[in-house]
Amino acid sequence: AQRVTQPEKLLSVFKGAPVELKCNYSYSGSPELFWYVQYSRQRLQLLLRHISRESIKGFTADLNKGETSFHLKKPFAQEEDSAMYYCAIKGVGSGANSKLTFGKGITLSVRP
Amino acid sequence: DTGVSQNPRHKITKRGQNVTFRCDPISEHNRLYWYRQTLGQGPEFLTYFQNEAQLEKSRLLSDRFSAERPKGSFSTLEIQRTEQGDSAMYLCASSSQGSPLHFGNGTRLTVT
C-alpha cells in the first residue's frame, strides 16, 4: 500500500524566512512523488514532480529514498506562497496503478 | 478555459435523495479520476477510468456510489440515497499516460 505522511498541519513564517514542508512516504516499489498546491479559491494544481528536477516559483524538493522523504523547500518565502500544500505519491512501472495518493496537506501562511 | 470542467459547482440536497455530478476532462486525456475531499483531509481516491473502462474502485465507494464514462469522454458520478456523511467536495481529474493529474474545481455537496 502507498501512504504519504505530512506531519504538520500549519506552518506560519514571516516573509523572507526559509520554508520547509515535510513529506514522508511509504511504498514498496518505485514511486513518483509530487507536490500539489491549492491557492485560495483556486483548483488544486501541480507545483512540481521529482522526476522533473525543476525549481518552480523558487520551490525545490529532493527525493531521499534512504529517508523516504520528499520535503518541499524555499529559501525566502513570499506572501503569495500562502496556500495549502499536498504531497502525493504514485507508483511507477507497468504493474503499478496510476492513482495518486495524497497526504492530509499543510497550510503555509506567510506573514508580511 | 480548456481545463477539467465539473458541474454543478455546488449541490444542496436532502438526505435520501439521489444526486449526479458531471466531469468533462481535458479532451486529449484518456484517464479520468474521481476523488473526495473533506475538511482537513487530502483528496481521497474513489475511482479511475482509462477510456471507458473503470479500472479501479476504492473501498470508500459504497454500493450507493456509481460512476460511468460511457464514451470515454465525460464522466458522471451518482450517489443514491444520500447520507449526511456524503457531504464533501468531489473532485475530478484527468491525465494521459506519463502526465500529471489535472484537477477540476470540484462539486461541493451538502446533504441536509
Side-chain angles (χ1 to χ4, degrees):
Chain A
Q2 53 201 49
R3 184 181 299 169
V4 173
T5 302
Q6 295 181 251
E8 299 153 334
K9 287 190 173 182
L10 171 66
L11 179 64
S12 183
V13 301
F14 285 107
K15 176 181 171 182
V19 166
E20 182 178 65
L21 306 182
K22 291 183 167 42
C23 172
N24 288 89
Y25 67 90
S26 63
Y27 187 74
S28 56
S30 179
E32 186 172 0
L33 275 294
F34 304 80
W35 277 97
Y36 275 78
V37 61
Q38 189 165 27
Y39 301 103
S40 179
R41 300 180 187 277
Q42 294 187 28
R43 66 183 68 191
L44 196 59
Q45 57 187 281
L46 177 70
L47 180 62
L48 55 80
R49 56 197 300 194
H50 89 269
I51 62 171
S52 300
R53 295 185 167 272
E54 293 175 303
S55 172
I56 306 293
K57 299 185 179 183
F59 284 97
T60 58
D62 292 318
L63 180 61
N64 185 324
K65 292 186 178 180
E67 295 183 357
T68 59
S69 69
F70 188 57
H71 304 326
L72 184 67
K73 299 177 183 179
K74 183 169 183 176
F76 307 104
Q78 302 299 313
E79 289 178 67
E80 55 265 31
D81 295 329
S82 296
M84 194 79 183
Y85 291 80
Y86 296 94
C87 183
I89 187 171
K90 175 170 89 70
V92 176
S94 60
N97 63 54
S98 67
K99 75 180 186 190
L100 271 183
T101 298
F102 286 85
K104 292 188 176 184
I106 180 170
T107 300
L108 174 63
S109 173
V110 182
R111 293 169 285 171
Chain B
D1 185 356
T2 56
V4 177
S5 176
Q6 291 189 247
N7 288 288
R9 291 292 299 273
H10 304 275
K11 179 70 178 178
I12 300 174
T13 191
K14 291 186 177 179
R15 189 176 54 190
Q17 297 294 304
N18 300 344
V19 294
T20 300
F21 311 140
R22 178 179 168 123
C23 171
D24 288 90
I26 293 171
S27 58
E28 58 266 30
H29 286 176
N30 64 340
R31 296 179 177 183
L32 187 147
Y33 307 78
W34 285 100
Y35 282 80
R36 181 172 69 186
Q37 187 173 22
T38 53
L39 200 62
Q41 301 294 319
E44 296 172 297
F45 172 78
L46 293 178
T47 189
Y48 147 61
F49 291 85
Q50 182 161 306
N51 301 312
E52 64 275 8
Q54 189 173 18
L55 296 187
E56 188 174 348
K57 287 167 53 171
S58 163
R59 281 172 287 182
L60 291 175
L61 215 64
S62 76
D63 291 345
R64 297 184 297 105
F65 288 70
S66 62
E68 293 183 344
R69 194 183 184 200
K71 296 181 181 178
S73 56
F74 74 91
S75 175
T76 58
L77 178 67
E78 180 182 17
I79 309 174
Q80 295 181 324
R81 305 181 303 283
T82 51
E83 302 172 356
Q84 287 188 320
D86 297 333
S87 295
M89 177 73 86
Y90 289 84
L91 298 171
C92 178
S94 69
S95 75
S96 53
Q97 186 166 358
S99 80
L101 271 62
H102 296 259
F103 282 85
N105 281 313
T107 293
R108 182 171 295 284
L109 173 66
T110 302
V111 182
T112 63

